[in-house]
Amino acid sequence: MRFKNIIFFQNGSIGDFLMALFFSENIHLADGEMKIRIVVPRNKKLLSKLVEGYPYIKIIEANSKNFGFLRLLKFIFSANGVAVHATPGKIPNRIKFLAKALSLNPKSVLVGFKDIGRFNNLYSVSLDYDTSVPYVETIKKMVQAMGFSVQKEAPFLKYKKDGDILSRFNLADNSYILIHPFGSSKKRSVPLEDIKWVLGKIRFEFSSLKIVVSAGPSEKKYIKELKEVFLGDENIVFLCDFGLNILSNLIDNSKLYIGVDTGITHMASFLRKDRKSTRLNSS
């Protein structure tokens, strides 16, 4: 065993967290005894559903409000493989210093990426982040920088399969289209009038298929309006604020997934689902 622990600092977004799972799985396949911890500043409760299929991964939520960084102090004297995620912006200095503290053991390694901020010299292995290169390849480069060989070439999301979910929503396997039209902001979401047009168009063109529309907790008012527009249409199912494991099951069993560029669409990609990621509009 090269290290006692692997500690990966990640930003808490769904899409980047999925890539952290891909990194972790490669490490685990190379050394099944490795203890892996992913440190996030937010969303631990949400992201915990994504690690149900990865019992060797633990999530630590650490930010200035919960003093979660104190939980990391016990690892300071261990031989750790520490990694800091890539970003086109800059990593907060406090993360760089904490990551350095966790890699003070002579047998430790700290892998990070040069950014526009300061203190890039803290990394023992400093990588260049090229946004023109697929992020999967960047993750593989991190695995190799840790001293491990790449064990898995392409990511795939393991999730807890639940056969009761389809019956719960009166759905059948491969008989519906799942649409996730909402992003992390209004600018990244499909306008409500365009969603209505798209749903009407799909209902007309693919009348044999049901439609499932998923949304997060901040879109409840939009889902309420859509329900009023399509009142009585039993072939359209509206889901709001359901867990990631339920969405994973629904995406994986759908005939087609349609969504904007957001974490849920990244999930569909990791499930290798037939999908269409687009900026939909009625024109």
Side-chain angles (χ1 to χ4, degrees), residues 87-148:
T87 176
K90 65 179 180 178
I91 299 295
N93 291 336
R94 64 180 181 276
I95 299 298
K96 291 181 180 179
F97 283 115
L98 179 59
K100 182 63 178 179
L102 292 169
S103 59
L104 290 177
N105 185 299
K107 295 182 179 179
S108 295
V109 171
L110 172 56
V111 176
F113 292 83
K114 301 171 187 175
D115 61 20
I116 61 175
R118 302 167 61 192
F119 307 113
N120 292 319
N121 60 330
L122 293 177
Y123 301 128
S124 50
V125 180
S126 186
L127 304 174
D128 292 314
Y129 180 36
D130 185 351
T131 55
S132 67
V133 174
Y135 199 57
V136 168
E137 300 304 319
T138 300
I139 292 295
K140 292 178 186 177
K141 187 187 298 185
M142 292 181 71
V143 171
Q144 293 168 335
M146 281 282 185
F148 298 95

Side-chain angles (χ1 to χ4, degrees), residues 22-31 140 143-144 147-154:
F22 178 54
F23 169 87
S24 301
E25 190 169 17
N26 265 286
I27 299 294
H28 176 72
L29 290 172
D31 185 343
K140 292 178 186 177
V143 171
Q144 293 168 335
F148 298 95
S149 59
V150 173
Q151 304 291 314
K152 192 171 183 178
E153 291 293 330

Side-chain angles (χ1 to χ4, degrees), residues 144-167:
Q144 293 168 335
M146 281 282 185
F148 298 95
S149 59
V150 173
Q151 304 291 314
K152 192 171 183 178
E153 291 293 330
F156 181 79
L157 177 63
K158 297 178 183 178
Y159 68 95
K160 185 178 179 181
K161 295 191 177 184
D162 188 341
D164 294 329
I165 289 178
L166 292 183
S167 58

Side-chain angles (χ1 to χ4, degrees), residues 159-224:
Y159 68 95
K160 185 178 179 181
K161 295 191 177 184
D162 188 341
D164 294 329
I165 289 178
L166 292 183
S167 58
R168 176 180 172 184
F169 298 108
N170 196 26
L171 298 168
D173 183 30
N174 206 39
S175 67
Y176 59 93
I177 297 172
L178 193 148
I179 302 176
H180 190 86
F182 303 103
S184 57
S185 65
K186 187 174 181 180
K187 185 178 180 180
R188 299 183 67 181
S189 301
V190 179
L192 192 61
E193 291 304 313
D194 291 347
I195 297 174
K196 296 175 185 176
W197 178 87
V198 168
L199 293 179
K201 191 73 172 176
I202 292 176
R203 286 291 293 114
F204 178 77
E205 297 288 346
F206 304 96
S207 57
S208 63
L209 297 175
K210 286 191 173 184
I211 303 172
V212 177
V213 181
S214 67
S218 60
E219 287 84 44
K220 287 183 179 179
K221 63 179 180 179
Y222 302 121
I223 291 296
K224 181 180 179 181

Side-chain angles (χ1 to χ4, degrees), residues 6-25:
I6 295 292
I7 303 172
F8 191 114
F9 285 88
Q10 196 269 332
N11 62 17
S13 70
I14 294 175
D16 287 340
F17 189 84
L18 289 168
M19 285 298 181
L21 294 183
F22 178 54
F23 169 87
S24 301
E25 190 169 17

